[in-house]
């Protein structure tokens, strides 16, 4: 069992050559869709650290090592990906957010379909398609769901884009040489910025601004949420588990819950997080972050000047709706992560330390004061 220490430097030598990252001794080629995301960015980093992968990244916004592509557009997907011929593994963690559960279905199913349509015909050596899901498969977003949630639990009533995506892959894979896996993390702890779902960033920004106002770090969710049993999934651990499932023959064509391996209640962890920020706590008060943080942009701008913070727009750092969502869960929120471990993946992350390492990173990258 290993605790989180960041990625090992397993890479022999990694060259950045235009749109692909190529390592010496390359045996496999990964196409990562959603590479700019909370999940996809860690996946890219981990693949690059391994040394035997060529890594090709996709996202709309592009970037030094990204192919810019709009997966919602079938023609753009075919055009931008037509030159790819040696993909062995597709890692799908793209996601487009929408205001309702039903509205999530068409675009998220279309993006996966457009990607596979653009890649499968030209890449005869395709071995695996990995699909990033989450506990929405278990109905965790609706209310008290059965815990621990297991991979064998029955599906819930549609609409549910995660289930539609998995069914699409299952049907498409039937009779093909490649296999699929479906990866189901809990709430993910990662360091990427400008994404709609990053809980550690929500807490770091909320703490930084509370501290600037000389306020205690007050849990802003439902009182019941303070006492519920929770778990998290570290983005680096998730990357390792995703690649393990994509490259382990006995894991083919299956789903896996992926979590850190420990459970917590905010009532125990929150005061420790306050300690980390050298802050006091105060009794919980259900305050919608989306409302109370809406007018804090000018204050954050002053903090950027005062503490020499990086010039990120406040709006890009604010996943307040996601914070409100997570802090509203006044029911147990955890899955059974034993299938993954029983089948041979044994990495474990201490959730308390994970938070401190993520906060350290936000400090060192000058997102919050040090
Ligand atoms: N974050 C969590 O806590 C969490 C927990 C459990 C499960 N999940 C699931 O994991 C998946 C990924 O989540 P995430 O948090 O990593 O998402 P994210 O941070 O929002 O990343 C989404 C990625 O998709 C790309 N993308 C969006 N629209 C696109 C388009 N039209 N064409 C091409 N690329 C597009 C985005 O890049 P561009 O904007 O540049 O295109 C970005 O790279 C989702 O299904 C989510 O439900 C997330």
């Amino acid at each position: 069992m290993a605790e989180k220490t960041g990625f090992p430097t397993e890479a022999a030598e990694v060259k950045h050559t235009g749109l692909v990252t190529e390592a010496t001794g390359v045996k496999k080629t990964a196409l990562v869709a959603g590479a700019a995301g909370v999940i996809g960015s860690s996946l890219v980093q981990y693949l690059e650290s391994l040394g035997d992968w060529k890594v090709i990244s996709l996202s709309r916004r592009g970037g030094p090592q990204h192919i810019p592509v709009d997966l919602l557009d079938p023609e753009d997907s075919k055009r931008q990906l037509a030159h790819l011929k040696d993909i062995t593994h597709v890692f799908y963690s793209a996601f487009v957010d929408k205001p309702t559960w039903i509205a999530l279905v068409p675009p998220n199913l279309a993006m996966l379909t457009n990607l596979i349509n653009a890649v499968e015909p030209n890449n005869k050596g395709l071995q695996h398609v990995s699909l990033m899901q989450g506990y929405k498969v278990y109905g965790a977003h609706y209310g008290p769901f059965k815990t621990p949630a297991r991979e064998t639990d029955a599906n819930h009533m549609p609409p549910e884009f995660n289930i539609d995506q998995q069914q699409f892959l299952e049907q498409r894979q039937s009779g093909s040489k490649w296999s699929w896996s479906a990866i189901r993390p809990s709430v993910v702890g990662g360091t990427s910025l400008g994404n709609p779902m990053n809980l550690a960033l929500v807490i770091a920004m909320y703490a930084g601004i509370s501290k600037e106002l000389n306020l205690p770090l007050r849990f802003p969710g439902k009182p019941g949420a303070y006492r519920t049993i929770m778990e998290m999934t570290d983005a680096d651990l998730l990357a390792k588990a995703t690649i393990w499932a994509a490259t382990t023959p006995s894991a083919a064509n299956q789903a896996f819950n992926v979590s850190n391996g420990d459970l917590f209640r905010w009532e125990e962890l929150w005061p420790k997080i306050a300690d980390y920020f050298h802050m006091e706590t105060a009794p919980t008060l259900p305050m919608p972050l989306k409302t109370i943080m809406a007018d804090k942009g000018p204050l954050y701008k002053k903090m950027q000047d005062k503490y020499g913070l990086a010039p990120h727009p406040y709006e890009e750092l604010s996943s307040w709706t996601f914070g409100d969502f997570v802090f509203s869960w006044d029911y147990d929120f955890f899955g059974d992560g034993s299938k993954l471990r029983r089948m041979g993946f044994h990495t474990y992350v201490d959730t308390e330390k994970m938070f401190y390492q993520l906060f350290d990173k936000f400090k060192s990258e000058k997102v919050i004061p040090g």
Side-chain angles (χ1 to χ4, degrees):
M1 306 269 267
E3 288 189 3
K4 173 183 163 62
T5 54
F7 292 129
T9 46
E10 291 166 48
E13 207 182 315
V14 176
K15 271 194 305 186
H16 292 288
T17 52
L19 293 175
V20 296
T21 304
E22 200 160 339
T24 53
V26 167
K27 298 185 200 83
K28 295 159 281 189
T29 301
L31 182 67
V32 182
V38 174
I39 292 174
S41 55
S42 283
L43 195 53
V44 168
Q45 275 181 41
Y46 183 53
L47 283 163
E48 288 179 347
S49 79
L50 290 174
D52 57 348
W53 290 83
K54 182 164 101 179
V55 185
I56 302 171
S57 304
L58 309 183
S59 67
R60 274 169 315 181
R61 71 192 87 166
Q65 264 80 45
H66 287 219
I67 296 178
V69 57
D70 183 358
L71 291 175
L72 284 171
D73 179 342
E75 293 314 314
D76 192 50
S77 304
K78 282 191 186 142
R79 195 170 42 246
Q80 293 294 79
L81 307 181
H83 65 288
L84 302 174
K85 307 279 184 223
D86 60 351
I87 304 300
T88 56
H89 294 72
V90 171
F91 294 96
Y92 184 86
S93 63
F95 172 70
V96 58
D97 204 8
K98 292 286 166 190
T100 63
W101 303 127
I102 192 163
L104 284 170
V105 176
N108 283 292
L109 185 57
M111 289 205 300
L112 177 64
T113 308
N114 292 338
L115 176 68
I116 299 302
N117 285 344
V119 167
E120 195 195 23
N122 300 332
N123 291 271
K124 302 296 179 204
L126 184 63
Q127 295 173 28
H128 193 85
V129 179
S130 166
L131 172 66
M132 191 54 60
Q133 299 184 314
Y135 287 6
K136 289 193 186 81
V137 169
Y138 304 123
H141 50 311
Y142 284 128
F145 62 108
K146 192 214 92 182
T147 51
R150 298 185 207 279
E151 293 88 344
T152 47
D153 289 352
N155 289 344
H156 62 79
M157 179 73 81
E160 177 48 61
F161 77 91
N162 288 282
I163 294 171
D164 288 358
Q165 286 177 328
Q166 182 177 327
Q167 288 174 345
F168 162 76
L169 271 193
E170 287 179 29
Q171 284 164 13
R172 191 65 177 253
Q173 180 273 337
S174 173
S176 307
K177 279 191 278 177
W178 51 273
S179 57
W180 60 269
S181 55
I183 305 301
R184 301 176 179 172
S186 183
V187 180
V188 174
T191 52
S192 77
L193 307 176
N195 305 85
M197 296 181 287
N198 189 342
L199 187 67
L201 184 59
V202 171
I203 297 174
M205 289 290 288
Y206 173 66
I209 288 170
S210 299
K211 191 170 181 178
E212 189 64 13
L213 292 170
N214 288 316
L215 293 169
L217 187 65
R218 195 187 286 273
F219 183 74
K222 288 189 188 169
Y226 205 49
R227 284 185 291 280
T228 192
I229 297 180
M230 270 291 295
E231 68 176 2
M232 294 279 298
T233 304
D234 174 72
D236 293 356
L237 172 105
L238 180 58
K240 291 177 186 174
T242 301
I243 293 162
W244 173 87
T247 54
T248 301
S250 57
N253 303 332
Q254 294 178 53
F256 292 94
N257 292 341
V258 180
S259 54
N260 284 351
D262 59 2
L263 300 172
F264 68 93
R265 297 180 201 270
W266 290 115
E267 71 178 347
E268 187 183 8
L269 186 56
W270 195 262
K272 293 180 180 174
I273 290 176
D275 265 359
Y276 168 93
F277 286 110
H278 306 292
M279 296 170 74
E280 300 292 321
T281 50
T284 66
L285 182 65
M287 304 175 283
L289 293 170
K290 196 174 172 211
T291 306
I292 60 167
M293 304 309 282
D295 65 346
K296 302 298 184 291
L299 172 62
Y300 185 67
K301 179 80 191 71
K302 281 188 194 152
M303 290 169 66
Q304 286 176 314
D305 296 340
K306 181 172 166 187
Y307 300 107
L309 301 182
H312 300 290
Y314 178 70
E315 301 68 38
E316 271 185 24
L317 301 175
S318 314
S319 326
W320 303 126
T321 306
F322 185 60
D324 287 335
F325 182 45
V326 173
F327 295 144
S328 74
W329 297 337
D330 52 4
Y331 46 89
D332 289 345
F333 194 101
F334 63 97
D336 172 11
S338 67
K339 178 182 175 189
L340 185 76
R341 268 91 187 182
R342 276 198 309 277
M343 288 183 61
F345 179 86
H346 297 131
T347 306
Y348 154 85
V349 165
D350 177 326
T351 298
E352 185 184 335
K353 285 188 188 157
M354 175 199 81
F355 272 116
Y356 301 156
Q357 288 182 6
L358 294 173
F359 298 151
D360 286 349
K361 188 95 191 289
F362 294 137
K363 285 182 178 176
S364 70
E365 290 185 350
K366 302 211 169 297
V367 176
I368 55 170

